Amino acid sequence: MMVSTPTLTDRCLKMSLSTLALDLLVRKRCWLLVALGALLSCGCHSVWALPQGAPETVCDTMLPFHAGGSVLPENSVSPFSIETSSSVVGQGQTLRIDVTGAPAGLSFGGFMIQARNRNPPYQIVGQFSPSRDGTVKLMNCENSVNNSATHSNAGPKPQVSIDWQSPVDFLGQVVFNATVAQSYNQFWVGIPSNPVQVVRRDVSSAAPLPTPSSPNNNNFNYASTRSPYVPPSYVAPNAVAASEDSFYDGCGQSKNCFGFPNGCVATKSCTSVSAVTVRGDIYEFELRSGKGTNAAYVALGLSDDAKMGEDLTTECVPENGRINLYSSYTSANPYSAVRVNVPQNSARLLNASLVDGVIYCKVQREPLTVVQGRSFDLRNGAYHMLVASGSSLKENSVGYHDIGRLPSGSPINLAVVQDVGGSSQLLVRLHGAFMIAAWIGTTSLGIIFARYFKQTWVGSQTCGKDQWFAWHRMLMVTTWTLTVVAYILIWVELKRAVWHAHSITGLITVILCFIQPIGALFRPGPNDKKRPYFNWGHWLGGNLAHILAIVAIFFSVKLPKAELPEWMDWILVGFVVFHVLVHLIFSISGIASDRQQSQRINTFQMGDMTHHQQHAMRNGMSMERKMDAPYAALRKGLLGVYSVVLILFVVVLILLVALAPIEKLFE
């Protein structure tokens, strides 16, 4: 037969009744005052000096506020114990911590608990989560948030269960230390748990928490809000991290997986990747960034149209040493991802880690989320998956997805397991190919004809126009056509303005390109005094558009959507050097040609000639004007070399755009 230990409440009640009986016998008139005094005396000797929890001034000592002097901690074996749901936990994952008494049902009123590194410098690690029954108050010790916990009221408690999340940047052993007070003058300080090993997360091992019922049939539910790390077998200290490829286990069989670049799931080489597992009404989302990407976040959006805007997004963001979960709603015009008016309780973080810069999180979402009057029904709806990651954050949202972004090709019901492919990039590829053909190819060649070949092929015409002008006009009309078509294609693809360095310089280029032929229609005559102004304006507009177009192409290499290799910059640099070198050679040959023509004219002094000689001289000069300028053969040969090399540059660059990401061809 078990004998129960009298509780504090029992002793207080007995003291009150004894005092009341004595006063009724001795001082019948004062019985109420004495009884009240006894009750107050009992009340003032409460379990904890502060009934609403330990103050943060005792973070280091963990001593009750009233301890000292004649009130000292017990030096006997504590009847209370600190139990953990597992002896091993993964980085960023969750344990359940139980503070219990023995024998079962032994109550306590106050407590304080911390997790500390078992080895020097013995710092406080991890964070606690609020309890559902309101018995726990979180504390901020050592300038960290929620890294300690205490009681929220001094009432008797047979057991307290708390969720603790391990840090994402810590490996090693931790020990939970607790102070437990059974009464005002009876408390134990520094009650330790068994050591818990924090290891690298094994993403393939997770199980729901057990849900023990409270003693005395109170049916308190101490279930964790996150799934704990439950290893299938013992993981030794200093264990090697599980292979990253385990993330892809079950893709297309038990879960939907999708990432970028397109097709990366099959090769297990995604820069960022997501997975969705559905079990009944449980929707679990996994997100992971790529190694070496320096990602500040990784996110998954659910969209009706594969475009950014009016989407429900799940964002995993490393902040202050832990992974935080946010739900956002994207706005298309202007684009932003806002967390205001988005129910954050529609999703909860199950597991998370940050290892070697790789963000991982596992999230459970409610089947139905309503945002700004719009319903996202995961049971019945079909959505595009949009995976994105970026290297920056804004004040209340994630930054631009400069690392990458890719929508799935078609909307899917998340419960239907299938191979998920990315959306078509045809319009993007055509846009890039047309712009390269226009501004690396036809524009460069058209400028060469206009600048250096006015005195070449003299007397030869096409469609009634000199050869240089006919070629120049044909090439520039081609540039104009390709540019306008490419601009329309990218608008059809994006359906909205996205402002960055490439789009701004590209827009200015398109405007200049569009007005150049319109200005040419109003070209003054050769002898008009306004003709020099037109020539300078036409020259400036054309060259400025050409330079900005090349700059815009350089900027496009950095765009995630383009998926171009970084070494493409060196090919562009090679083209610029080659183009400038050819211009330099043409300019030198032009100077030499002008000098030779000038020497021909000055060979004869007109004043010393007879009338017959002067007439013959004029006829000779007239005939010379109908001949090619000197060094015409050099110019023609250089033009041939330039054209061949230019075509090679254009072909290589277009192939890089059309086959992007080109690295996949060599894997």
Side-chain angles (χ1 to χ4, degrees), residues 423-437:
S423 61
S424 172
Q425 298 291 298
L426 177 61
L427 297 184
V428 175
R429 305 290 177 241
L430 288 175
H431 168 82
F434 286 175
M435 286 299 191
I436 287 174

Side-chain angles (χ1 to χ4, degrees), residues 491-567:
W491 266 104
V492 172
E493 169 68 19
L494 299 178
K495 293 184 172 62
R496 60 183 176 85
V498 179
W499 299 114
H500 42 65
H502 172 76
S503 62
I504 293 172
T505 53
L507 177 61
I508 297 173
T509 300
V510 171
I511 293 173
L512 290 173
C513 173
F514 194 81
I515 63 177
Q516 277 290 95
I518 297 176
L521 294 176
F522 299 96
R523 178 175 63 246
N527 299 321
D528 194 304
K529 43 175 151 177
K530 294 180 181 179
R531 181 62 178 260
Y533 298 106
F534 167 81
N535 290 339
W536 277 106
H538 193 68
W539 174 88
L540 180 62
N543 282 277
L544 183 59
H546 191 215
I547 293 171
L548 288 176
I550 302 300
V551 172
I553 293 173
F554 269 101
F555 284 138
S556 70
V557 177
K558 305 300 181 183
L559 293 178
K561 197 175 184 68
E563 300 180 307
L564 297 173
E566 292 186 0
W567 46 266

Side-chain angles (χ1 to χ4, degrees), residues 413-627:
N413 186 296
L414 299 179
V416 179
V417 178
Q418 57 195 281
D419 292 328
V420 184
S423 61
S424 172
Q425 298 291 298
L426 177 61
L427 297 184
V428 175
R429 305 290 177 241
L430 288 175
H431 168 82
F434 286 175
M435 286 299 191
I436 287 174
W439 294 100
I440 300 291
T442 57
T443 301
S444 301
L445 197 57
I447 290 175
I448 292 288
F449 272 106
R451 187 172 299 176
Y452 303 112
F453 284 86
K454 292 181 179 178
Q455 294 299 318
T456 308
W457 294 300
V458 175
S460 176
Q461 293 186 334
T462 299
C463 298
K465 300 294 183 182
D466 291 342
Q467 291 289 352
W468 75 266
F469 184 79
W471 281 99
H472 172 76
R473 183 171 60 180
M474 180 189 70
L475 291 169
M476 289 310 180
V477 168
T478 303
T479 295
W480 188 90
T481 303
L482 289 173
T483 300
V484 171
V485 172
Y487 194 68
I488 293 173
L489 289 176
I490 203 63
W491 266 104
V492 172
E493 169 68 19
L494 299 178
K495 293 184 172 62
R496 60 183 176 85
V498 179
W499 299 114
H500 42 65
H502 172 76
S503 62
I504 293 172
T505 53
L507 177 61
I508 297 173
T509 300
V510 171
I511 293 173
L512 290 173
C513 173
F514 194 81
I515 63 177
Q516 277 290 95
I518 297 176
L521 294 176
F522 299 96
R523 178 175 63 246
N527 299 321
D528 194 304
K529 43 175 151 177
K530 294 180 181 179
R531 181 62 178 260
Y533 298 106
F534 167 81
N535 290 339
W536 277 106
H538 193 68
W539 174 88
L540 180 62
N543 282 277
L544 183 59
H546 191 215
I547 293 171
L548 288 176
I550 302 300
V551 172
I553 293 173
F554 269 101
F555 284 138
S556 70
V557 177
K558 305 300 181 183
L559 293 178
K561 197 175 184 68
E563 300 180 307
L564 297 173
E566 292 186 0
W567 46 266
M568 180 175 167
D569 281 337
W570 292 108
I571 298 178
L572 292 172
V573 169
F575 160 73
V576 171
V577 171
F578 171 71
H579 183 72
V580 171
L581 182 62
V582 169
H583 271 275
L584 183 62
I585 296 174
F586 271 125
S587 297
I588 293 174
S589 68
I591 293 172
S593 176
D594 291 342
R595 181 175 298 176
Q596 185 169 333
Q597 281 185 313
S598 177
Q599 288 175 351
R600 287 180 183 178
I601 295 172
N602 295 329
T603 300
F604 301 99
Q605 296 296 325
M606 299 292 289
D608 297 333
M609 295 182 184
T610 64
H611 177 74
H612 178 74
Q613 290 174 326
Q614 290 180 2
H615 180 72
M617 180 64 181
R618 291 190 186 96
N619 289 337
M621 293 176 62
S622 176
M623 291 294 296
E624 190 169 281
R625 280 194 293 268
K626 296 181 180 179
M627 297 173 56

Side-chain angles (χ1 to χ4, degrees), residues 329-331 338 340-343 370-376:
Y329 185 71
T330 61
S331 172
V338 295
V340 181
N341 299 324
V342 180
V370 179
V371 182
Q372 298 184 12
R374 182 179 176 191
S375 297
F376 289 87

Side-chain angles (χ1 to χ4, degrees), residues 90-93 165-171 198-203 241 244 287-298 316-324 349 351-362 390 393:
Q91 289 177 314
Q93 296 179 324
Q165 184 179 18
S166 65
V168 297
D169 55 357
F170 176 86
L171 289 172
V198 180
V199 299
R200 294 181 185 270
R201 176 187 50 79
D202 179 356
V203 298
E244 285 190 342
L287 298 173
R288 196 186 71 187
S289 65
K291 191 172 184 178
T293 60
N294 296 318
Y297 71 90
V298 59
C316 293
V317 183
E319 293 175 321
N320 302 319
R322 66 179 294 176
I323 304 295
N324 288 327
L349 190 64
N351 286 320
S353 69
L354 180 63
V355 181
D356 297 331
V358 177
I359 305 169
Y360 169 82
C361 66
K362 187 175 185 179
L393 300 173

Side-chain angles (χ1 to χ4, degrees), residues 402-414:
D402 55 340
I403 295 176
R405 163 193 170 272
L406 183 66
S408 60
S410 59
I412 65 168
N413 186 296
L414 299 179

